């Protein structure tokens, strides 16, 4: 009948209260509140400067904008009209926002001064408040990741699984490596270290492709492990061996710009990503084993 059709249509168009009333919805509301508060405090009196400060304020503004977008789409059900995998998108963003927000929460208090000037301590108090809310923002995003992660036996989006979340972490670590490479790491000094840069670049691009397509996960992860093993052996040899580099930090290096420091950062995060890929492969194999039975 006509009334039945009208009721069915209205049931598809009413606002989704669960988008803000569920535990995940509450976490997202807190993300928006904490994010807005953080960058507002910093922009008002907390202050930021240089590349590190610009990175922090960009992270908070970006995360706030995307969170508001997700809340709006969930509340109005507009995400049903988008030609993307909404579950993969929200899971990937929550993981990425967690990593970015914790990085900003650590960097900001390290590169601002908390001393009082001769007139008052108002600026210091704003910076302390900004640091506190930046930490709360990280916990809000981490809570969403915890709530939306795939449970055993649950059918869910790939990006909500441990393997999918690890892909985001791998990409984020690769970005840290690229940042250190760009800051005078002297990677072009040897062909061997240039191979390491090719490994980082290839694995980063392929990880992004896997995230987008969700195919060939196990094969790609195994190949990435082999390539990272080669980089994990080659990079420290050509950076810290007496024959090619320096096993100790050169005395003439400044604190702000020292190629040796960047080489150490790249070495550490090379091994971090290698471990992440190995864990990823182990989990991917587990998924394959369970699904086969």
């Amino acid at each position: 009948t006509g009334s039945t059709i009208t009721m069915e249509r209205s049931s598809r168009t009413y606002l989704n209260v669960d988008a803000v009333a569920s535990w995940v919805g509450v976490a997202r509301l807190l993300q928006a509140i904490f994010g807005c508060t953080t960058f507002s405090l910093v922009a008002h009196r907390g202050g930021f400067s240089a590349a590190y400060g610009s990175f922090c304020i960009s992270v908070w503004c970006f995360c706030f904008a995307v969170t508001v977008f997700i809340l709006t789409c969930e509340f109005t059900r507009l995400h049903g009209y988008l030609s993307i995998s909404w579950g993969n998108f929200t899971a990937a963003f929550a993981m990425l926002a967690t990593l970015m927000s914790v990085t900003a929460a650590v960097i900001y208090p390290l590169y601002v001064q908390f001393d009082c000037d001769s007139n008052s301590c108002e600026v210091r108090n704003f910076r302390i408040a900004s640091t506190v809310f930046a930490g709360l923002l990280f916990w809000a995003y981490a809570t969403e990741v915890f709530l939306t992660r795939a449970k055993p036996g649950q059918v869910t989006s790939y990006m909500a699984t441990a393997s999918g979340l690890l892909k985001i972490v791998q990409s984020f670590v690769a970005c840290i490596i690229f940042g250190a490479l760009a800051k005078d790491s002297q990677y072009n000094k040897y062909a061997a270290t240039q191979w390491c840069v090719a490994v980082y670049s290839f694995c980063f691009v392929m990880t992004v492709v896997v995230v987008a397509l969700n195919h060939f996960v196990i094969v790609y992860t195994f190949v990435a492990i082999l390539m990272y093993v080669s980089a994990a052996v080659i990079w420290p040899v050509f950076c810290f061996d007496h024959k090619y580099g320096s096993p100790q930090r050169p005395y003439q290096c400044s604190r702000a710009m020292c190629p040796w420091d960047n080489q150490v950062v790249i070495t550490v995060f090379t091994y971090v990503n290698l471990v992440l890929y190995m864990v990823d492969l182990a989990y991917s194999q587990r998924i394959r084993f369970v699904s086969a039975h």
Side-chain angles (χ1 to χ4, degrees), residues 250-273:
Y251 291 107
Q252 66 272 20
C253 268
S254 64
R255 181 183 177 186
M257 294 293 293
C258 182
W260 193 87
D261 292 344
N262 294 321
Q263 292 168 357
V264 171
V265 171
I266 295 166
T267 301
V268 171
F269 282 99
T270 295
Y271 284 99
V272 168
N273 239 11

Side-chain angles (χ1 to χ4, degrees), residues 18-19 22-28 31 70 74 86-98 139-152 154-165 168 283:
D18 287 338
S22 63
W23 286 114
V24 175
V26 171
R28 288 172 178 165
Q31 293 163 13
I70 291 174
E74 289 271 0
W86 187 252
N88 282 329
F89 170 73
T90 55
F93 169 72
M95 188 72 247
L96 178 62
T98 301
W139 283 111
Y141 281 114
T143 300
E144 180 181 349
V145 172
F146 175 79
L147 292 173
T148 58
R149 76 193 193 286
K151 311 299 189 299
Q154 180 183 11
V155 178
T156 186
S157 303
Y158 168 73
M159 294 309 303
T161 64
S163 181
L165 295 175
I168 303 300
Y283 188 83

Side-chain angles (χ1 to χ4, degrees), residues 123-140:
V123 173
R124 184 202 64 178
N125 295 337
F126 269 91
R127 289 175 176 175
I128 293 175
S130 301
T131 302
V132 171
F133 277 100
L136 292 174
L137 179 64
F138 155 67
W139 283 111

